[in-house]
Amino acid sequence: MLRTLPGSPGCFICDNNGSNPKALALRLQYDEEARTVRIPCRPDQTWCGYRDVVHGGLVATVLDEAMAWAVKLHSGDWAFTAECRVRYKKAVTPGRDYTATAAIVEDAGRTLTAEACF
């Protein structure tokens, strides 16, 4: 069952109330059975660094957002990203539907490890 998450006012990725006029206003979902956060998106040309290639920094930002929400839902608290490593396997292109999916893969007390993919 997918539950829609509220988003955060002012957030570049998930502000849905208009408090950040530059926000991407992406909708977040939580799959309670799979314990994953999902962020469906359809990047357009404004997301591109090169023609027809979505900027890798924006891809990483969406993945980071999905992992941040996975941490919040797992632990009940917000946390800061201490380390983020991204491996790009192929270009993300504008005009196609994608879903960032994130989950907690290790809980070592104060340190949580999350993984995400596009």
Side-chain angles (χ1 to χ4, degrees), residues 22-62:
K22 300 212 180 219
L24 297 177
L26 299 180
R27 304 289 179 185
L28 290 80
Q29 304 166 332
Y30 182 59
D31 183 330
E32 294 179 11
E33 185 176 316
R35 297 177 58 110
T36 58
V37 172
R38 300 165 38 103
I39 304 177
C41 62
R42 185 178 184 94
D44 62 26
Q45 286 292 334
T46 66
W47 290 40
C48 292
Y50 294 108
R51 183 174 179 207
D52 295 328
V53 177
V54 173
H55 194 289
L58 288 175
V59 171
T61 301
V62 174

Side-chain angles (χ1 to χ4, degrees), residues 8-9 13 15-16 18 22 25 27 29 35 51 56 59 64-67 72 85-86 89 91-92 97 101-102 117-118:
S8 297
I13 297 296
D15 173 16
N16 290 303
K22 300 212 180 219
R27 304 289 179 185
Q29 304 166 332
R35 297 177 58 110
R51 183 174 179 207
V59 171
D64 184 61
E65 182 74 6
M67 290 184 288
K72 168 71 170 157
R85 189 173 26 184
V86 181
K89 294 185 177 182
V92 174
D97 292 323
T101 305
C117 62
F118 225 58

